[in-house]
Amino acid sequence: MLIEARPALDPELAALVVAQLHEGGQSFAPDDRAAYFVAVVDGRAVACGAWQPLPEVGVAEIKRMYVRPAFRGRGIARQMIVTLEEEALVAGRPVIRLTAGVTSPAAIALYRSSGYERVPICEPAAFCFEKRLTASVQ
């Protein structure tokens, strides 16, 4: 598997976003401030994720996490999280936040097992998580 940076308007990223929307994801508006990544397995784009800086100094947010159903359970999402964390840390963003829908128990379990703790700064129909990164991202 290879995880590579992609532009916001990349066609393979767009196909993943459309698949995510069909599964109940939120609408997508490309953001030039975000850094987008795609996981490629055997030449096929199978997962995506992004991070973007938040207005607070040193804080970033993970967005657009998605893995195609046929590729779930292989550790791809966990590897994507590590990539996003490493990239945000290099960019001077040691605090990472993310939002997960309350109907996403697998995603919530993944975030918790990756060291994210629930924080109360969230909308009612979601769970918000935060993680402080160190120089050796795990």
Side-chain angles (χ1 to χ4, degrees):
M1 181 188 67
L2 173 68
I3 296 179
E4 53 192 28
R6 296 285 180 92
L9 298 177
D10 177 80
E12 290 181 308
L13 174 63
L16 290 164
V17 169
V18 167
Q20 183 183 40
L21 290 172
H22 282 123
E23 287 190 43
Q26 296 177 354
S27 63
F28 175 68
D31 187 334
D32 289 336
R33 298 171 305 139
Y36 298 93
F37 293 84
V38 169
V40 179
V41 174
D42 296 328
R44 182 175 179 205
V46 300
C48 62
W51 75 269
Q52 69 182 32
L54 291 178
E56 298 140 278
V57 174
V59 181
E61 180 178 24
I62 289 180
K63 306 288 281 183
R64 305 264 45 109
M65 284 289 298
Y66 177 74
V67 178
R68 289 191 182 277
F71 291 86
R72 292 177 185 164
R74 299 182 188 189
I76 295 171
R78 187 172 306 279
Q79 291 178 30
M80 181 66 73
I81 288 172
V82 170
T83 297
L84 298 174
E85 290 174 348
E86 289 173 346
E87 295 290 330
L89 186 59
V90 167
R93 303 286 174 158
V95 176
I96 306 289
R97 292 185 183 144
L98 58 88
T99 303
V102 295
T103 59
S104 304
I108 292 168
L110 170 67
Y111 300 139
R112 285 193 167 147
S113 70
S114 297
Y116 286 81
E117 296 182 11
R118 191 162 174 209
V119 292
I121 53 168
C122 210
E123 55 209 54
F127 290 125
C128 290
F129 295 90
E130 183 176 284
K131 181 178 180 180
R132 293 193 169 277
L133 306 175
T134 62
S136 59
V137 175
Q138 299 179 14

mmCIF file of all heavy atoms in Angstrom, residues 67-99:
data_model
loop_
_atom_site.group_PDB
_atom_site.id
_atom_site.type_symbol
_atom_site.label_atom_id
_atom_site.label_comp_id
_atom_site.label_asym_id
_atom_site.label_seq_id
_atom_site.Cartn_x
_atom_site.Cartn_y
_atom_site.Cartn_z
ATOM 1 N N VAL A 67 -12.558 4.694 3.887
ATOM 2 C CA VAL A 67 -11.971 3.490 3.294
ATOM 3 C C VAL A 67 -13.099 2.741 2.590
ATOM 4 O O VAL A 67 -14.175 2.524 3.165
ATOM 5 C CB VAL A 67 -11.317 2.586 4.373
ATOM 6 C CG1 VAL A 67 -10.752 1.317 3.735
ATOM 7 C CG2 VAL A 67 -10.231 3.331 5.137
ATOM 8 N N ARG A 68 -12.861 2.345 1.352
ATOM 9 C CA ARG A 68 -13.882 1.576 0.632
ATOM 10 C C ARG A 68 -14.216 0.310 1.426
ATOM 11 O O ARG A 68 -13.336 -0.329 1.994
ATOM 12 C CB ARG A 68 -13.376 1.187 -0.756
ATOM 13 C CG ARG A 68 -13.284 2.351 -1.709
ATOM 14 C CD ARG A 68 -13.031 1.854 -3.135
ATOM 15 N NE ARG A 68 -12.888 2.959 -4.060
ATOM 16 C CZ ARG A 68 -13.908 3.606 -4.637
ATOM 17 N NH1 ARG A 68 -15.138 3.263 -4.364
ATOM 18 N NH2 ARG A 68 -13.673 4.599 -5.468
ATOM 19 N N PRO A 69 -15.498 -0.073 1.475
ATOM 20 C CA PRO A 69 -15.915 -1.222 2.289
ATOM 21 C C PRO A 69 -15.106 -2.499 2.066
ATOM 22 O O PRO A 69 -14.763 -3.194 3.017
ATOM 23 C CB PRO A 69 -17.382 -1.408 1.903
ATOM 24 C CG PRO A 69 -17.837 -0.038 1.514
ATOM 25 C CD PRO A 69 -16.639 0.589 0.836
ATOM 26 N N ALA A 70 -14.766 -2.818 0.837
ATOM 27 C CA ALA A 70 -14.034 -4.056 0.543
ATOM 28 C C ALA A 70 -12.615 -4.049 1.106
ATOM 29 O O ALA A 70 -11.976 -5.098 1.202
ATOM 30 C CB ALA A 70 -13.985 -4.288 -0.968
ATOM 31 N N PHE A 71 -12.124 -2.878 1.523
ATOM 32 C CA PHE A 71 -10.759 -2.768 2.023
ATOM 33 C C PHE A 71 -10.694 -2.466 3.517
ATOM 34 O O PHE A 71 -9.612 -2.244 4.057
ATOM 35 C CB PHE A 71 -10.000 -1.699 1.221
ATOM 36 C CG PHE A 71 -9.750 -2.124 -0.191
ATOM 37 C CD1 PHE A 71 -10.711 -1.913 -1.178
ATOM 38 C CD2 PHE A 71 -8.577 -2.771 -0.539
ATOM 39 C CE1 PHE A 71 -10.493 -2.332 -2.486
ATOM 40 C CE2 PHE A 71 -8.352 -3.185 -1.839
ATOM 41 C CZ PHE A 71 -9.316 -2.976 -2.811
ATOM 42 N N ARG A 72 -11.830 -2.472 4.173
ATOM 43 C CA ARG A 72 -11.858 -2.204 5.609
ATOM 44 C C ARG A 72 -11.324 -3.404 6.386
ATOM 45 O O ARG A 72 -11.364 -4.533 5.924
ATOM 46 C CB ARG A 72 -13.277 -1.853 6.048
ATOM 47 C CG ARG A 72 -13.709 -0.525 5.467
ATOM 48 C CD ARG A 72 -15.120 -0.143 5.805
ATOM 49 N NE ARG A 72 -15.459 1.089 5.081
ATOM 50 C CZ ARG A 72 -16.676 1.534 4.914
ATOM 51 N NH1 ARG A 72 -17.706 0.876 5.418
ATOM 52 N NH2 ARG A 72 -16.888 2.649 4.239
ATOM 53 N N GLY A 73 -10.812 -3.134 7.571
ATOM 54 C CA GLY A 73 -10.294 -4.196 8.422
ATOM 55 C C GLY A 73 -8.871 -4.601 8.088
ATOM 56 O O GLY A 73 -8.375 -5.601 8.604
ATOM 57 N N ARG A 74 -8.194 -3.858 7.244
ATOM 58 C CA ARG A 74 -6.824 -4.181 6.843
ATOM 59 C C ARG A 74 -5.786 -3.222 7.437
ATOM 60 O O ARG A 74 -4.620 -3.280 7.067
ATOM 61 C CB ARG A 74 -6.702 -4.138 5.316
ATOM 62 C CG ARG A 74 -7.589 -5.123 4.604
ATOM 63 C CD ARG A 74 -7.348 -5.038 3.120
ATOM 64 N NE ARG A 74 -8.318 -5.835 2.379
ATOM 65 C CZ ARG A 74 -8.236 -6.071 1.086
ATOM 66 N NH1 ARG A 74 -7.234 -5.573 0.387
ATOM 67 N NH2 ARG A 74 -9.154 -6.795 0.481
ATOM 68 N N GLY A 75 -6.231 -2.298 8.283
ATOM 69 C CA GLY A 75 -5.300 -1.348 8.884
ATOM 70 C C GLY A 75 -5.018 -0.123 8.043
ATOM 71 O O GLY A 75 -4.153 0.686 8.388
ATOM 72 N N ILE A 76 -5.738 0.039 6.949
ATOM 73 C CA ILE A 76 -5.502 1.174 6.061
ATOM 74 C C ILE A 76 -5.864 2.487 6.746
ATOM 75 O O ILE A 76 -5.110 3.467 6.656
ATOM 76 C CB ILE A 76 -6.269 1.000 4.733
ATOM 77 C CG1 ILE A 76 -5.713 -0.213 3.982
ATOM 78 C CG2 ILE A 76 -6.196 2.266 3.885
ATOM 79 C CD1 ILE A 76 -6.521 -0.621 2.763
ATOM 80 N N ALA A 77 -6.986 2.530 7.441
ATOM 81 C CA ALA A 77 -7.395 3.761 8.126
ATOM 82 C C ALA A 77 -6.376 4.148 9.187
ATOM 83 O O ALA A 77 -6.039 5.328 9.333
ATOM 84 C CB ALA A 77 -8.779 3.593 8.744
ATOM 85 N N ARG A 78 -5.869 3.181 9.919
ATOM 86 C CA ARG A 78 -4.870 3.469 10.953
ATOM 87 C C ARG A 78 -3.598 4.046 10.319
ATOM 88 O O ARG A 78 -3.011 5.001 10.817
ATOM 89 C CB ARG A 78 -4.547 2.219 11.759
ATOM 90 C CG ARG A 78 -3.649 2.508 12.956
ATOM 91 C CD ARG A 78 -3.491 1.307 13.864
ATOM 92 N NE ARG A 78 -4.753 0.727 14.309
ATOM 93 C CZ ARG A 78 -5.493 1.204 15.311
ATOM 94 N NH1 ARG A 78 -5.106 2.269 15.971
ATOM 95 N NH2 ARG A 78 -6.612 0.604 15.651
ATOM 96 N N GLN A 79 -3.180 3.478 9.191
ATOM 97 C CA GLN A 79 -2.003 4.006 8.498
ATOM 98 C C GLN A 79 -2.259 5.414 7.961
ATOM 99 O O GLN A 79 -1.368 6.266 7.963
ATOM 100 C CB GLN A 79 -1.580 3.056 7.380
ATOM 101 C CG GLN A 79 -1.012 1.754 7.915
ATOM 102 C CD GLN A 79 -0.637 0.792 6.798
ATOM 103 O OE1 GLN A 79 -0.272 1.199 5.702
ATOM 104 N NE2 GLN A 79 -0.733 -0.487 7.079
ATOM 105 N N MET A 80 -3.484 5.669 7.512
ATOM 106 C CA MET A 80 -3.835 7.003 7.034
ATOM 107 C C MET A 80 -3.757 8.005 8.184
ATOM 108 O O MET A 80 -3.227 9.111 8.016
ATOM 109 C CB MET A 80 -5.238 6.994 6.407
ATOM 110 C CG MET A 80 -5.680 8.349 5.867
ATOM 111 S SD MET A 80 -4.711 8.960 4.459
ATOM 112 C CE MET A 80 -5.287 7.873 3.161
ATOM 113 N N ILE A 81 -4.272 7.619 9.350
ATOM 114 C CA ILE A 81 -4.212 8.510 10.509
ATOM 115 C C ILE A 81 -2.765 8.860 10.835
ATOM 116 O O ILE A 81 -2.436 10.028 11.076
ATOM 117 C CB ILE A 81 -4.919 7.885 11.733
ATOM 118 C CG1 ILE A 81 -6.426 7.892 11.523
ATOM 119 C CG2 ILE A 81 -4.566 8.636 13.019
ATOM 120 C CD1 ILE A 81 -7.195 7.128 12.578
ATOM 121 N N VAL A 82 -1.893 7.866 10.848
ATOM 122 C CA VAL A 82 -0.481 8.113 11.149
ATOM 123 C C VAL A 82 0.115 9.084 10.131
ATOM 124 O O VAL A 82 0.832 10.024 10.496
ATOM 125 C CB VAL A 82 0.317 6.793 11.200
ATOM 126 C CG1 VAL A 82 1.812 7.063 11.256
ATOM 127 C CG2 VAL A 82 -0.114 5.964 12.401
ATOM 128 N N THR A 83 -0.184 8.897 8.857
ATOM 129 C CA THR A 83 0.315 9.802 7.818
ATOM 130 C C THR A 83 -0.176 11.223 8.059
ATOM 131 O O THR A 83 0.607 12.185 8.008
ATOM 132 C CB THR A 83 -0.123 9.318 6.421
ATOM 133 O OG1 THR A 83 0.460 8.047 6.168
ATOM 134 C CG2 THR A 83 0.286 10.304 5.332
ATOM 135 N N LEU A 84 -1.462 11.379 8.333
ATOM 136 C CA LEU A 84 -2.024 12.710 8.563
ATOM 137 C C LEU A 84 -1.403 13.357 9.794
ATOM 138 O O LEU A 84 -1.081 14.560 9.778
ATOM 139 C CB LEU A 84 -3.550 12.619 8.703
ATOM 140 C CG LEU A 84 -4.301 12.098 7.478
ATOM 141 C CD1 LEU A 84 -5.767 11.910 7.796
ATOM 142 C CD2 LEU A 84 -4.101 13.007 6.282
ATOM 143 N N GLU A 85 -1.224 12.579 10.854
ATOM 144 C CA GLU A 85 -0.594 13.105 12.066
ATOM 145 C C GLU A 85 0.832 13.560 11.794
ATOM 146 O O GLU A 85 1.244 14.644 12.233
ATOM 147 C CB GLU A 85 -0.587 12.045 13.166
ATOM 148 C CG GLU A 85 -1.947 11.745 13.738
ATOM 149 C CD GLU A 85 -1.944 10.581 14.717
ATOM 150 O OE1 GLU A 85 -0.936 9.838 14.810
ATOM 151 O OE2 GLU A 85 -2.977 10.410 15.393
ATOM 152 N N GLU A 86 1.602 12.743 11.090
ATOM 153 C CA GLU A 86 2.994 13.094 10.779
ATOM 154 C C GLU A 86 3.064 14.371 9.960
ATOM 155 O O GLU A 86 3.885 15.252 10.234
ATOM 156 C CB GLU A 86 3.679 11.949 10.029
ATOM 157 C CG GLU A 86 3.960 10.748 10.894
ATOM 158 C CD GLU A 86 4.483 9.546 10.112
ATOM 159 O OE1 GLU A 86 4.397 9.536 8.855
ATOM 160 O OE2 GLU A 86 4.964 8.606 10.758
ATOM 161 N N GLU A 87 2.211 14.491 8.963
ATOM 162 C CA GLU A 87 2.213 15.677 8.105
ATOM 163 C C GLU A 87 1.813 16.933 8.875
ATOM 164 O O GLU A 87 2.410 17.990 8.707
ATOM 165 C CB GLU A 87 1.284 15.462 6.905
ATOM 166 C CG GLU A 87 1.740 14.368 5.963
ATOM 167 C CD GLU A 87 2.988 14.731 5.184
ATOM 168 O OE1 GLU A 87 3.204 15.934 4.900
ATOM 169 O OE2 GLU A 87 3.760 13.812 4.848
ATOM 170 N N ALA A 88 0.809 16.813 9.733
ATOM 171 C CA ALA A 88 0.381 17.963 10.536
ATOM 172 C C ALA A 88 1.482 18.376 11.518
ATOM 173 O O ALA A 88 1.727 19.572 11.723
ATOM 174 C CB ALA A 88 -0.916 17.630 11.281
ATOM 175 N N LEU A 89 2.138 17.406 12.118
ATOM 176 C CA LEU A 89 3.203 17.702 13.077
ATOM 177 C C LEU A 89 4.362 18.418 12.387
ATOM 178 O O LEU A 89 4.877 19.414 12.900
ATOM 179 C CB LEU A 89 3.674 16.426 13.757
ATOM 180 C CG LEU A 89 4.687 16.608 14.892
ATOM 181 C CD1 LEU A 89 4.116 17.487 16.000
ATOM 182 C CD2 LEU A 89 5.092 15.252 15.452
ATOM 183 N N VAL A 90 4.759 17.951 11.220
ATOM 184 C CA VAL A 90 5.836 18.599 10.459
ATOM 185 C C VAL A 90 5.455 20.047 10.135
ATOM 186 O O VAL A 90 6.308 20.931 10.096
ATOM 187 C CB VAL A 90 6.145 17.805 9.165
ATOM 188 C CG1 VAL A 90 7.003 18.605 8.208
ATOM 189 C CG2 VAL A 90 6.822 16.488 9.514
ATOM 190 N N ALA A 91 4.169 20.301 9.936
ATOM 191 C CA ALA A 91 3.678 21.643 9.616
ATOM 192 C C ALA A 91 3.470 22.496 10.865
ATOM 193 O O ALA A 91 2.927 23.604 10.773
ATOM 194 C CB ALA A 91 2.386 21.549 8.820
ATOM 195 N N GLY A 92 3.889 21.987 12.033
ATOM 196 C CA GLY A 92 3.772 22.770 13.264
ATOM 197 C C GLY A 92 2.411 22.719 13.916
ATOM 198 O O GLY A 92 2.015 23.646 14.621
ATOM 199 N N ARG A 93 1.687 21.637 13.700
ATOM 200 C CA ARG A 93 0.350 21.461 14.280
ATOM 201 C C ARG A 93 0.359 20.234 15.199
ATOM 202 O O ARG A 93 -0.037 19.141 14.790
ATOM 203 C CB ARG A 93 -0.697 21.285 13.178
ATOM 204 C CG ARG A 93 -0.764 22.419 12.173
ATOM 205 C CD ARG A 93 -1.419 23.621 12.779
ATOM 206 N NE ARG A 93 -1.369 24.778 11.883
ATOM 207 C CZ ARG A 93 -2.197 25.795 11.974
ATOM 208 N NH1 ARG A 93 -3.139 25.801 12.885
ATOM 209 N NH2 ARG A 93 -2.075 26.811 11.161
ATOM 210 N N PRO A 94 0.813 20.368 16.446
ATOM 211 C CA PRO A 94 0.917 19.211 17.343
ATOM 212 C C PRO A 94 -0.393 18.786 18.007
ATOM 213 O O PRO A 94 -0.419 17.782 18.710
ATOM 214 C CB PRO A 94 1.936 19.667 18.387
ATOM 215 C CG PRO A 94 1.751 21.148 18.448
ATOM 216 C CD PRO A 94 1.413 21.565 17.034
ATOM 217 N N VAL A 95 -1.463 19.526 17.797
ATOM 218 C CA VAL A 95 -2.764 19.145 18.347
ATOM 219 C C VAL A 95 -3.678 18.822 17.172
ATOM 220 O O VAL A 95 -3.858 19.636 16.263
ATOM 221 C CB VAL A 95 -3.374 20.265 19.213
ATOM 222 C CG1 VAL A 95 -4.766 19.880 19.694
ATOM 223 C CG2 VAL A 95 -2.462 20.585 20.392
ATOM 224 N N ILE A 96 -4.241 17.608 17.211
ATOM 225 C CA ILE A 96 -5.124 17.161 16.133
ATOM 226 C C ILE A 96 -6.515 16.934 16.699
ATOM 227 O O ILE A 96 -6.672 16.297 17.741
ATOM 228 C CB ILE A 96 -4.635 15.838 15.509
ATOM 229 C CG1 ILE A 96 -3.190 15.945 15.052
ATOM 230 C CG2 ILE A 96 -5.539 15.414 14.363
ATOM 231 C CD1 ILE A 96 -2.973 16.805 13.854
ATOM 232 N N ARG A 97 -7.509 17.426 15.991
ATOM 233 C CA ARG A 97 -8.905 17.203 16.370
ATOM 234 C C ARG A 97 -9.619 16.503 15.220
ATOM 235 O O ARG A 97 -9.213 16.575 14.071
ATOM 236 C CB ARG A 97 -9.596 18.532 16.661
ATOM 237 C CG ARG A 97 -9.062 19.209 17.894
ATOM 238 C CD ARG A 97 -9.834 20.443 18.236
ATOM 239 N NE ARG A 97 -9.235 21.081 19.389
ATOM 240 C CZ ARG A 97 -9.166 22.386 19.566
ATOM 241 N NH1 ARG A 97 -9.691 23.202 18.684
ATOM 242 N NH2 ARG A 97 -8.594 22.877 20.644
ATOM 243 N N LEU A 98 -10.718 15.854 15.559
ATOM 244 C CA LEU A 98 -11.557 15.239 14.537
ATOM 245 C C LEU A 98 -12.953 15.053 15.087
ATOM 246 O O LEU A 98 -13.166 15.069 16.301
ATOM 247 C CB LEU A 98 -10.974 13.912 14.062
ATOM 248 C CG LEU A 98 -10.729 12.821 15.098
ATOM 249 C CD1 LEU A 98 -11.966 11.974 15.295
ATOM 250 C CD2 LEU A 98 -9.574 11.959 14.652
ATOM 251 N N THR A 99 -13.892 14.897 14.188
ATOM 252 C CA THR A 99 -15.287 14.683 14.542
ATOM 253 C C THR A 99 -15.748 13.377 13.933
ATOM 254 O O THR A 99 -15.455 13.101 12.769
ATOM 255 C CB THR A 99 -16.162 15.830 14.008
ATOM 256 O OG1 THR A 99 -15.671 17.065 14.537
ATOM 257 C CG2 THR A 99 -17.612 15.656 14.414
#
